[in-house]
């Protein structure tokens, strides 16, 4: 190997030139961003309430960014497949993923995933939250949460609650209520939330936790009875329905949140630009109305606030999963 000083100098200058060129290319990319169509990965089936939200956001975000924004559905494994795809996308700001507390905080507490929620994603911002309602079959002799707790305690391990599967939001919402009230409802996992609702309608199980989009028509028709909302405040769809917190479990709150994220290595300047565009989008009054029709309450945040929420919720759900003894078979 040569130690010639001229050669060493040329190598140093060559490395410096390469670094400067790379920096110039990055600056040009950031200044011209976005220069082409963006895509939003929706890890949900087309037509579902969460997918509708993804499409509403994308159409408005297109206006804010001045570029087309298309939605690409990659459903499967409770949202995990699409989330994995989004984590592996090029970190150039042209692929965003709809993320939820289920995919970033609940599933990783239950099983090993190919993505690290904190390392592999850079949060852009929250989009909104969706509450659940605690519902029972009309034959169950309770009309509020306190009566449910009394009934379950009088019938240890006899009252069953259904969900869309182990580790789904509906499962953990029930386990959280068990933990906070000291009752012991028995969890019955189904392959999908609508199957649990069907069995509730048929009187095969007593309780389930459902979003209002799925259950409201049955509640209004008297085919099932709503006991409480799982959100911190009452929901517009049923303003007379108390919250669980109002009904004997003061600190109870369980909602599904949705947000947007990009791959973790995405440049901060691009993340900030996306964040500003998203926050502008979420000020649209028509969007608020359309979200409300899906029982989604708009909730915006900065990337830092969203990151802190993800970290906090990962801890909350990890403890809840441990206390519940939940396992993915």
């Amino acid at each position: 190997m040569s130690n010639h000083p001229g050669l060493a100098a040329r190598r140093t200058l060559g490395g410096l030139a390469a670094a400067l060129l790379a920096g110039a290319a990055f600056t040009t990319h950031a200044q011209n961003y976005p220069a082409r169509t963006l895509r939003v990965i929706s890890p949900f089936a087309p037509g579902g309430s969460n997918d509708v939200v993804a499409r509403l956001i994308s159409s408005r975000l297109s206006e804010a960014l001045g570029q087309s924004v298309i939605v690409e559905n990659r459903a499967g494994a409770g949202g995990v497949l699409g989330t994995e795809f989004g984590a592996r996308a090029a970190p150039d700001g042209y692929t965003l993923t709809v993320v939820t507390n289920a995919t970033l905080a609940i599933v990783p507490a239950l099983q090993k995933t190919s993505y690290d929620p904190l390392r592999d994603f850079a949060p852009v911002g929250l989009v909104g939250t969706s509450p659940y309602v605690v519902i029972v079959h009309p034959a169950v002799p309770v009309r509020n949460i306190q009566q449910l707790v009394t009934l379950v305690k009088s019938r240890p391990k006899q009252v069953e609650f259904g969900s869309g599967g182990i580790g789904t939001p509906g499962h953990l919402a029930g386990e959280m209520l068990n933990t906070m009230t000291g009752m012991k409802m028995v969890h019955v996992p189904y392959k999908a939330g609508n199957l649990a609702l069907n069995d509730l309608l048929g009187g095969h199980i007593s309780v389930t936790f459902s979003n209002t989009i799925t259950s409201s028509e049955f509640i209004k028709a008297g085919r099932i009875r709503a006991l409480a909302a799982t959100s911190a405040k009452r929901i517009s769809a049923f303003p007379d329905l108390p919250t669980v917190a109002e009904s004997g479990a003061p600190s109870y709150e369980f909602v599904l949140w949705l947000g947007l994220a990009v791959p973790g290595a995405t440049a901060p300047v691009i993340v900030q630009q996306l964040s500003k565009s998203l926050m502008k989008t979420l000020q649209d009054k028509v969007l608020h109305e359309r979200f409300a029709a899906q029982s989604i309450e708009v909730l915006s945040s900065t990337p830092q606030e969203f990151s802190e929420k993800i970290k906090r919720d990962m801890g909350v759900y990890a403890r809840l999963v441990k206390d519940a003894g939940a396992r993915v078979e």
Side-chain angles (χ1 to χ4, degrees):
M1 180 179 291
S2 172
N3 292 319
H4 193 281
L7 180 59
R10 285 196 295 274
R11 285 174 176 168
T12 300
L13 289 172
L16 180 59
L20 289 172
L21 286 171
F26 168 77
T27 301
T28 300
H29 171 67
Q31 288 175 341
N32 294 336
Y33 176 84
R36 53 184 170 85
T37 298
L38 294 86
R39 63 177 174 172
V40 171
I41 304 301
S42 174
F44 317 107
S49 58
N50 292 342
D51 185 60
V52 170
V53 169
R55 294 179 184 279
L56 287 172
I57 279 291
S58 296
S59 64
R60 294 300 195 280
L61 198 55
S62 175
E63 298 171 10
L65 290 168
Q67 290 289 346
S68 297
V69 180
I70 61 172
V71 175
E72 184 175 318
N73 291 93
R74 289 184 174 267
V80 173
L81 293 184
T83 305
E84 289 176 337
F85 182 86
R88 293 193 299 268
D92 55 10
Y94 288 94
T95 299
L96 296 88
T97 302
V98 178
V99 293
T100 70
N101 46 346
T103 54
L104 291 196
I106 296 175
V107 171
L110 282 161
Q111 65 188 69
K112 184 174 178 58
T113 58
S114 67
Y115 58 89
D116 182 305
L118 301 178
R119 181 194 64 218
D120 295 331
F121 283 104
V124 173
L126 279 164
V127 169
T129 62
S130 177
Y132 290 81
V133 285
V134 187
I135 50 179
V136 299
H137 187 271
V140 179
V142 301
R143 294 189 173 276
N144 55 53
I145 294 297
Q146 290 178 327
Q147 290 178 359
L148 176 64
V149 173
T150 300
L151 175 70
V152 174
K153 287 184 175 180
S154 71
R155 302 179 184 176
K157 298 184 179 180
Q158 294 181 41
V159 179
E160 296 176 326
F161 82 95
S163 80
I166 295 173
T168 58
H171 174 205
L172 292 192
E175 296 293 2
M176 179 179 284
L177 189 57
N178 272 343
T179 299
M180 294 183 67
T181 60
M183 64 178 177
K184 298 292 182 183
M185 292 187 295
V186 178
H187 178 230
V188 180
Y190 290 79
K191 290 184 178 179
N194 64 314
L195 298 179
L197 180 59
N198 287 341
D199 261 14
L200 182 77
L201 288 164
H204 303 297
I205 56 175
S206 299
V207 187
T208 192
F209 294 71
S210 174
N211 61 59
T212 56
I213 292 297
T214 305
S215 60
S216 61
E217 63 177 288
F218 301 114
I219 295 171
K220 291 174 181 177
R223 295 186 60 190
I224 52 180
R225 181 183 301 132
L227 303 184
T230 64
S231 48
K233 59 182 181 180
R234 297 191 181 195
I235 54 178
S236 57
F238 296 97
D240 294 330
L241 186 67
T243 66
V244 175
E246 290 178 294
S247 307
S251 58
Y252 184 98
E253 180 185 5
F254 195 104
V255 297
L256 176 74
W257 53 250
L258 301 97
L260 288 177
V262 290
T266 304
V269 64
I270 289 178
V271 175
Q272 288 298 328
Q273 186 170 341
L274 285 169
S275 173
K276 289 179 181 178
S277 297
L278 177 60
M279 293 184 85
K280 179 181 178 181
T281 295
L282 293 175
Q283 294 173 4
D284 188 313
K285 291 183 178 180
V286 174
L287 186 70
H288 282 236
E289 293 172 0
R290 294 192 175 182
F291 269 33
Q294 300 294 323
S295 291
I296 301 285
E297 180 183 357
V298 172
L299 180 65
S300 62
S301 73
T302 66
Q304 181 61 34
E305 289 169 341
F306 191 13
S307 178
E308 290 170 356
K309 182 170 183 59
I310 293 169
K311 292 177 185 177
R312 186 166 58 249
D313 280 6
M314 286 178 71
V316 169
Y317 293 125
R319 289 190 296 273
L320 186 56
V321 165
K322 182 179 179 181
D323 291 344
R327 297 282 188 277
V328 174
E329 303 297 334

